[in-house]
Amino acid sequence: MALPAVKSQVFKILVKAYLRFEARCLGRLHDDYRRAISRALLGIKTRLFPSQGEGGLLAQLAQSGMKASSFVPPQRPSQPDRILRVEQAFMPDPTLVSLHAQATRSGRHEPWLWLEQENLVPILRHLDLGAVDWHSLPVVQGTGSITATPNLDTVIDLLPDDGLSHVFLLPWLKPGGADKAALCYLDVLAARYPGRVMAITTEACDSPWRSRVPRGVVVVDWARIEPWPDTETALQGLLLLLQKSHVEVLHVMNSFLGWELLRRHGLRVRALTRVFASLFWYGPSEPRSLRGYAPEYLPSVSDCLDGVLTDNRTFALRLCRDYGFAQELFHCVYHPTERVVDLSDEARVPEPPFPILWASRFAPEKRLDLLADIAERRPQLEFHVFGSGGDSSATLLPVIERLNSLSNVRMQGAFNGFESLPLEEYGLFLYTSSSDGMPNVVVEALAHGLPVVAPDVGGISELIDAGTGWLVSGDNSVDAYLAALDGALGDRESSESRRRAGVARVRERHTIDVFKRTLLGVPGYLADTHKSTSTAASSSGGEAVAPDSLRIL
Amino acid sequence: MPNELRTLTVTQLRNELTVCVLFFNKLDQTIACVHSVLDAGVRVHVLDNGSDAEAARALRQEFAANSLVKILDAGGNRGVSGGRNLQISDTEGSWLLFLDNDIIVSTRNWLERLATWVQRYPDADVFVPRMFNKHEKSWAELADFVVDETGRCAFGRAASRFANSFPGGASVINRRVFEELGHYDEDLFVGFEDFELAIRGWKGGRPLLVRGVDDIELIHDHQLSEKIADKEAATVRYDVRRISNSHAVIQRKHGILLDPNFTDWLREQVRQLTGDSSQGRDEALTPMQHHALSGTTFTPVHVGNSSILVLVPAFGSGANLWLRLRALDTARCRAQAAGLRVHVRVLDDSLDETGQRLVRRAMSAGLSDELASTRSGAEAKLNLGSFAGFEFVCWTGAGFLSSDCLVRLVQHSRFEPAAAHGFTHVGQTVFVGPQGQGVRLETETPNPLAGPSDHRLFPAFVAPASVWAGFHCSRAATWRNKVTDAVFAWLCETAAHQISHTGAPGSIVFVPA
């Protein structure tokens, strides 16, 4: 490489380094040090790089062999954007100007500031603030820019030129109902906007279901890309990413960082993109309080949302009733199940006695204690329990031990999706949760043709009623569950008719097609399809696939 | 049309520019001065303003073969004003670079750079390159003159890179300045003739627009004189009686009183040039006179004839609104004095009855011109009223505008190319709590997408009305009910679309926490 080219490269690297140094450190130094350093750098520039960075277009032309003095600038173009570019081309080298400014900038005591303060005193004295010496106040350098870390820079560099259609903020991708729903959203959108959908997992933990993310979706492990030094810094990085990605729709689903982003910067975020959030039900709460993203965030961020997607209608009505939100804010999108049995082809449920299936994540609100009570009261029935809980609390362990000690309960361990269960062995699905929206396992149980006994909590009653299953009302009463179980096991004919009705209801509301149709009908949820077409065409010969390099982040 | 990008080639500038040097001894430095500009191929006009005959001969001999250098004889020392006036009359072209003969241009491609500056700031009357005073080891500062109610005047470092005064011996001046204001006043033999011209501009309703040039450097050197003629020149240049006369002329003519305590400074200049510290000792016996500015001060600022609509959102019972409007009124008076037509429109976003009564009283008192409601329905935020007839629109949020805030904002927005199609925010915001604790926030490049979500961080900004027209079409305006939120969201939207947001140096807003 020729020496001038090497010099030019070195100069570029030094300028980049200097700009970072100036942005991060120089302003914090004492004026004397700042000036001394800047002067030294100016000296280096003058001596070692006299012909570099000498002012925009003229210098470029001079370097390309054209005499600067004979250069005639172009006429003013008519388009505003061209005007800006031409003006920038004629600007002196900004690094040099900045260096000069730093090198010659005087101290903080500025006469104009003192004069302005004096001129305002006749007014400020009415507030008893006229005596404040503005010069004595600490000077804070303003909110100039959000800086990207190198990792974030890498992500930004990989963004598609025509911007992202959707960004999902998810906590993780683990086995679970909400995660399964998130994958369904990604499936639909990836097919429609290949290469323009990004899923960001915000929590620092493993995401075993990451392998299920469809092609065409960029997955970013935020904790790896941008370790949270503090929440605000993490949010600034997210904000920068949203700005740079020109994303059209942001979807927050169960991500703490996502909700914090809306709480702290909702106005900004909504100025950049359309914003949707998913809410399913109030979180498990102590008796005298209410927890969860809905009560803790929604009232303060509802103005910054284009819509809230729920997986049941009941919760939307409840929120409107509890907080006075406008109903138009909410859109019910029932989560889909991949497979709905065809009862004409499927075998009937096994003849009794058969074991009863209980499957869910282990958590206090899933009421394993209730299951234990039921099992104790019905020793003649056998219960197979599937599930696990990484965060089994101290209160949960005794219950699990109690279940283990019961002879009619078999703890079967964790399961990886409802479809992985040996469903043909079971003739009834029992669900005992005390807090839920529209539990995925209940939908799946119905979809697989199992009669269901479930509590009347959250939006379950939209799915389970006297026609489609056994809905247990009352305040988590064991007797009510026992009555429902006895009814389900005692009347084979009713059981058969209800499970058929249940399957029909699932087919009516929870298929992929219905989900897709409903989701795409949500006002504002679609992105600009024109962009998607161009991306699809340019990605790989028209095939709707995202580059593999984007998937490794 | 401000900020219009006019084509100016280096060749054109070379043809339009004459470098003018007054030659009053200091031969060696004069030769160095002329040589420092000749590489650019510009014409140089040297006026022998009473130099020693031998020095004059030597100078002519030095440049005898150079057709670019024209040396004229003034027939004696006609003073700085008289000499420069001769040069103005004897030259052609739009631009004159006046250089004192103890100054050299140290930037290699200064003409190319100057062409860039002239092109970027077509409305500037004067360009002042950066000057290093070698004898003081310091950079000269671009200065504004400030006057108080009693006519006392002082110079201070300019609040921005625009100023209202210039150093006559180190500036590039557009000839239109002399055509409009007349030549230098020859009653001022030496000293402050440039300042007197600046005052004339201000008194005539058109303060000078002086722009600092950041990337052209001059070196000013008070070298110790060896020759008697040079020493005599120094005593003439820094003669107390002549400078006092200049002060007196300015006071008589304009009622402006300059700081009379200058004898020590003059004596120091003479000492530097001659090595003799006894010169002017008699004058030093003159007792120091009080010359502190007092009361309200005024800094003339050029913004050009224009019009601005100021939007003031108001809520509740209008806490502090009256005082905010009073502060705004001071800023408005300054703006009107600078030639701006200012219209204040209070936006009733959610004023209660008390607040509405207060605004009506403000209108009676002349603090506001109009009250517009922005809460009459879902599209209320669109009801900011018409921008027709205004070149600029200013949004004021929380806080008290400083007296020069409006003019500085408009000046920056109007004359800085980078701000022409974007937003100009206040350069500094002072946040102070009830106990006097607080911070001063400098925002040279404000970014609505960065920092905490506090509207008070954007207490005031100006944008051309053409930019504001985009507010009504913005997404933010369609979903946010409160007009303040809608405007803030709009700022974020524009920042994301790379529309420029800059801070105007010299503008400040005080925000009580």
Side-chain angles (χ1 to χ4, degrees):
Chain A
M1 196 185 287
L3 185 63
V6 173
K7 233 177 168 179
S8 171
Q9 284 299 319
V10 172
F11 181 73
K12 277 181 190 165
I13 292 166
L14 289 177
V15 164
K16 202 171 175 185
Y18 166 73
L19 289 176
R20 280 179 184 248
F21 172 69
E22 188 191 59
R24 294 178 185 180
C25 309
L26 200 59
R28 296 178 191 167
L29 299 178
H30 186 276
D31 286 334
D32 292 343
Y33 294 130
R34 176 171 48 74
R35 279 197 294 271
I37 291 171
S38 305
R39 281 174 188 167
L41 292 174
L42 258 181
I44 292 170
K45 196 266 158 202
T46 311
R47 288 188 186 91
L48 300 181
F49 305 97
S51 60
Q52 309 287 340
E54 294 281 327
L57 194 54
L58 288 170
Q60 288 171 29
L61 288 166
Q63 278 173 8
S64 66
M66 189 170 173
K67 268 188 81 176
S69 57
S70 64
F71 170 66
V72 181
Q75 295 295 316
R76 178 183 182 171
S78 53
Q79 303 91 332
D81 59 333
R82 289 274 298 135
I83 291 172
L84 286 176
R85 264 183 262 145
V86 170
E87 283 176 353
Q88 282 158 6
F90 281 87
M91 282 173 69
D93 176 49
T95 313
L96 210 56
V97 171
S98 178
L99 256 177
H100 271 293
Q102 295 286 359
T104 58
R105 196 169 139 198
S106 303
R108 301 281 185 209
H109 208 88
E110 300 173 79
W112 70 270
L113 188 70
W114 182 81
L115 294 171
E116 289 289 78
Q117 177 188 328
E118 288 301 301
N119 286 343
L120 208 51
V121 163
I123 291 161
L124 295 185
R125 63 182 182 169
H126 293 289
L127 299 170
D128 198 22
L129 294 171
V132 177
D133 177 10
W134 296 0
H135 272 108
S136 69
L137 301 175
V139 177
V140 178
Q141 291 294 327
T143 51
S145 60
I146 316 171
T147 49
T149 59
N151 282 344
L152 187 54
D153 262 340
T154 310
V155 176
I156 290 169
D157 286 346
L158 289 172
L159 292 171
D161 291 340
D162 47 0
L164 294 172
S165 68
H166 293 73
V167 167
F168 275 76
L169 294 181
L170 309 166
W172 49 63
L173 283 164
K174 291 180 178 181
D179 304 70
K180 190 176 177 201
L183 289 172
C184 293
Y185 277 93
L186 294 175
D187 267 332
V188 171
L189 295 171
R192 196 176 175 88
Y193 309 105
R196 294 183 57 213
V197 181
M198 178 182 278
I200 301 175
T201 54
T202 54
E203 298 293 325
C205 61
D206 291 335
S207 289
W209 270 13
R210 188 187 169 120
S211 57
R212 296 189 177 200
V213 174
R215 285 175 69 80
V217 176
V218 182
V219 184
V220 174
D221 182 349
W222 191 257
R224 199 152 62 95
I225 296 290
E226 287 276 297
W228 300 15
D230 59 82
T231 305
E232 187 53 42
T233 309
L235 295 178
Q236 288 290 337
L238 264 184
L239 203 55
L240 181 66
L241 181 65
L242 292 178
Q243 179 195 341
K244 297 285 184 189
S245 64
H246 300 290
V247 60
E248 293 183 56
V249 176
L250 174 71
H251 190 147
V252 177
M253 191 184 278
N254 280 351
S255 161
F256 163 75
L257 200 63
W259 282 103
E260 273 297 309
L261 179 73
L262 298 183
R263 186 175 72 81
R264 301 191 197 187
H265 303 292
L267 206 53
R268 291 186 172 112
V269 173
R270 200 174 174 199
L272 297 175
T273 175
R274 296 191 293 281
V275 186
F276 289 84
S278 283
L279 286 173
F280 307 127
W281 198 260
Y282 293 124
S285 312
E286 299 84 29
R288 290 179 183 274
S289 65
L290 208 49
R291 300 278 180 239
Y293 292 125
E296 291 179 53
Y297 285 93
L298 191 58
S300 56
V301 308
S302 61
D303 282 357
C304 306
L305 291 168
D306 286 87
V308 175
L309 305 183
T310 61
D311 63 348
N312 64 89
R313 294 179 195 286
T314 312
F315 190 37
L317 294 171
R318 175 84 181 267
L319 286 169
C320 292
R321 194 190 71 197
D322 286 355
Y323 295 97
F325 296 128
Q327 284 191 21
E328 302 83 68
L329 183 66
F330 298 93
H331 308 279
C332 175
V333 180
Y334 288 122
H335 291 167
T337 177
E338 287 168 2
R339 178 171 174 271
V340 183
V341 294
D342 185 347
L343 289 178
S344 61
D345 298 337
E346 301 282 335
R348 291 171 60 83
V349 291
E351 290 295 322
F354 49 73
I356 295 168
L357 173 64
W358 190 102
S360 186
R361 177 170 51 90
F362 284 0
E365 71 274 13
K366 299 298 180 186
R367 297 304 304 271
L368 287 161
D369 58 323
L370 207 55
L371 173 62
D373 289 344
I374 293 166
E376 262 183 4
R377 297 270 297 272
R378 286 289 182 273
Q380 70 276 26
L381 299 178
E382 190 176 339
F383 296 87
H384 288 188
V385 178
F386 288 87
S388 63
D391 56 347
S392 296
S393 62
T395 55
L396 213 51
L397 288 174
V399 182
I400 293 172
E401 281 176 19
R402 189 178 153 211
L403 283 168
N404 270 322
S405 67
L406 292 172
S407 60
N408 61 335
V409 175
R410 284 171 60 182
M411 303 300 280
Q412 305 282 51
F415 65 105
N416 187 20
F418 199 82
E419 63 282 356
S420 67
L421 298 170
L423 297 172
E424 66 284 354
E425 295 177 19
Y426 306 108
L428 186 69
F429 179 74
L430 173 63
Y431 193 62
T432 54
S433 176
S434 63
S435 172
D436 241 314
M438 179 67 80
N440 175 255
V441 283
V442 172
V443 177
E444 292 286 355
L446 276 188
H448 283 85
L450 284 175
V452 172
V453 172
D456 184 7
V457 296
I460 292 178
S461 62
E462 293 172 43
L463 194 61
I464 306 290
D465 55 27
T468 57
W470 284 265
L471 189 67
V472 180
S473 301
D475 191 15
N476 299 316
S477 150
V478 177
D479 289 336
Y481 273 100
L482 292 177
L485 277 179
D486 292 344
L489 296 170
D491 186 347
R492 294 284 296 161
E493 204 170 309
S494 172
S495 177
E496 181 61 20
S497 69
R498 290 191 196 199
R499 81 176 184 115
R500 283 180 178 278
V503 169
R505 184 163 293 177
V506 168
R507 184 169 285 120
E508 179 193 325
R509 295 180 185 170
H510 292 273
T511 60
I512 295 282
D513 284 344
V514 173
F515 171 73
K516 189 174 174 182
R517 205 167 47 240
T518 317
L519 180 63
L520 301 184
V522 173
Y525 197 77
L526 288 187
D528 183 353
T529 48
H530 173 72
K531 284 185 180 175
S532 122
T533 310
S534 66
T535 309
S538 64
S539 59
S540 56
E543 190 188 347
V545 180
D548 279 346
S549 60
L550 296 183
R551 295 172 55 82
I552 59 167
L553 297 167
Chain B
M1 176 74 185
N3 291 319
E4 190 178 357
L5 190 66
R6 295 169 194 158
T7 304
L8 179 75
T9 65
V10 176
T11 310
Q12 284 171 334
L13 181 61
R14 187 179 290 115
N15 292 332
E16 290 293 323
L17 178 79
T18 306
V19 180
C20 299
V21 180
L22 288 182
F23 172 43
F24 180 40
N25 293 322
K26 294 197 278 190
L27 173 67
D28 295 341
Q29 283 193 281
T30 309
I31 290 172
C33 170
V34 174
H35 276 304
S36 74
V37 295
L38 275 179
D39 282 351
V42 292
R43 291 187 303 273
V44 183
H45 188 289
V46 183
L47 183 72
D48 177 0
N49 208 19
S51 290
D52 178 58
E54 191 182 335
R57 258 196 313 279
L59 188 77
R60 284 178 191 280
Q61 195 175 346
E62 173 73 22
F63 297 106
N66 196 324
S67 61
L68 290 173
V69 182
K70 182 179 177 183
I71 303 175
L72 289 183
D73 188 355
N77 190 350
R78 302 184 59 155
V80 174
S81 299
R84 289 202 180 129
N85 284 344
L86 269 179
Q87 292 184 305
I88 294 164
S89 304
D90 198 49
T91 52
E92 292 176 345
S94 305
W95 293 95
L96 299 157
L97 166 54
F98 289 102
L99 275 184
D100 282 349
N101 60 346
D102 54 359
I103 294 174
I104 60 165
V105 179
S106 66
T107 304
R108 189 167 46 85
N109 54 347
W110 65 272
L111 191 66
E112 284 85 349
R113 294 180 185 214
L114 183 61
T116 305
W117 286 94
V118 172
Q119 181 149 320
R120 291 185 71 215
Y121 298 93
D123 297 280
D125 302 308
V126 181
F127 290 97
V128 179
R130 213 174 268 281
M131 186 165 74
F132 186 71
N133 288 318
K134 197 172 175 183
H135 47 282
E136 293 172 353
K137 293 187 175 59
S138 67
W139 294 88
E141 287 168 346
L142 196 63
D144 271 328
F145 71 87
V146 187
V147 291
D148 71 5
E149 292 160 330
T150 65
R152 286 198 185 94
C153 175
F155 290 90
R157 188 171 66 247
S160 72
R161 295 306 292 157
F162 290 108
N164 60 18
S165 71
F166 63 99
S171 296
V172 184
I173 305 176
N174 194 308
R175 186 178 291 278
R176 70 168 177 257
V177 172
F178 303 110
E179 290 168 351
E180 289 170 10
L181 302 177
H183 289 190
Y184 288 114
D185 185 344
E186 294 187 20
D187 287 344
L188 288 82
F189 184 82
V190 63
F192 298 101
E193 69 289 336
D194 40 16
F195 173 53
E196 193 278 331
L197 193 69
I199 297 177
R200 256 188 278 158
W202 164 44
K203 295 278 181 176
R206 206 282 193 195
L208 292 178
L209 185 66
V210 178
R211 183 60 168 87
V213 175
D214 298 320
D215 61 356
I216 298 178
E217 285 177 8
L218 311 178
I219 297 176
H220 181 206
D221 190 5
H222 277 184
Q223 288 179 4
L224 188 62
S225 307
E226 299 292 337
K227 298 172 185 169
I228 295 173
D230 291 352
K231 290 184 178 181
E232 284 174 358
T235 55
V236 172
R237 166 66 184 86
Y238 297 106
D239 178 55
V240 172
R241 275 177 289 274
R242 288 190 173 93
I243 301 289
S244 297
N245 176 64
S246 295
H247 280 208
V249 171
I250 288 172
Q251 188 176 9
R252 195 168 57 243
K253 200 169 168 184
H254 302 294
I256 299 294
L257 183 64
L258 284 157
D259 188 349
N261 306 296
F262 53 81
T263 45
D264 282 351
W265 181 80
L266 288 182
R267 201 167 56 182
E268 171 60 18
Q269 306 307 305
V270 172
R271 190 197 61 74
Q272 287 171 2
L273 289 163
T274 65
D276 180 3
S277 55
S278 64
Q279 291 283 340
R281 188 163 284 172
D282 295 344
E283 289 81 1
L285 297 174
T286 312
M288 290 288 284
Q289 297 177 46
H290 176 73
H291 188 77
L293 301 183
S294 61
T296 307
T297 52
F298 180 80
T299 308
V301 175
H302 174 71
V303 294
N305 291 325
S306 187
S307 54
I308 183 168
L309 169 67
V310 183
L311 301 173
V312 186
F315 318 97
S317 59
N320 285 344
L321 179 62
W322 186 270
L323 289 175
R324 280 169 55 206
L325 287 173
R326 275 189 58 200
L328 173 59
D329 196 50
T330 308
R332 168 153 83 162
C333 290
R334 294 299 168 85
Q336 285 167 338
L340 271 176
R341 182 170 68 82
V342 185
H343 184 89
V344 177
R345 180 181 293 161
V346 176
L347 303 175
D348 172 7
D349 207 12
S350 54
L351 278 173
D352 60 19
E353 208 162 306
T354 310
Q356 287 180 349
R357 277 202 303 272
L358 186 132
V359 175
R360 282 195 289 273
R361 283 199 299 278
M363 288 169 70
S364 306
L367 297 177
S368 166
D369 301 309
E370 187 187 349
L371 175 64
S373 174
T374 55
R375 57 173 179 172
S376 57
E379 301 299 312
K381 59 269 172 187
L382 298 181
N383 192 22
L384 296 178
S386 170
F387 303 148
F390 297 101
E391 195 178 340
F392 297 97
V393 179
C394 172
W395 174 270
T396 64
F400 302 82
L401 267 60
S402 69
S403 55
D404 282 347
C405 192
L406 269 185
V407 286
R408 295 289 182 190
L409 286 170
V410 174
Q411 186 184 56
H412 187 84
S413 180
R414 192 181 175 94
F415 298 122
E416 275 296 343
H421 305 288
F423 296 83
T424 300
H425 297 261
V426 288
Q428 293 198 22
T429 309
V430 172
F431 293 94
V432 175
Q435 306 303 319
Q437 79 284 13
V439 292
R440 188 149 58 90
L441 181 69
E442 280 185 352
T443 46
E444 285 175 8
T445 52
N447 182 356
L449 288 165
S453 289
D454 191 335
H455 295 185
R456 292 175 306 168
L457 290 168
F458 300 93
F461 65 86
V462 160
S466 56
V467 172
W468 266 92
F471 173 71
H472 291 143
C473 323
S474 75
R475 212 175 76 79
T478 63
W479 59 268
R480 202 68 196 179
N481 283 323
K482 287 185 79 67
V483 67
T484 309
D485 289 351
V487 168
F488 177 66
W490 177 52
L491 287 182
C492 297
E493 213 175 307
T494 57
H497 287 91
Q498 311 299 322
I499 294 175
S500 79
H501 287 259
T502 53
S507 59
I508 194 162
V509 167
F510 182 94
V511 180

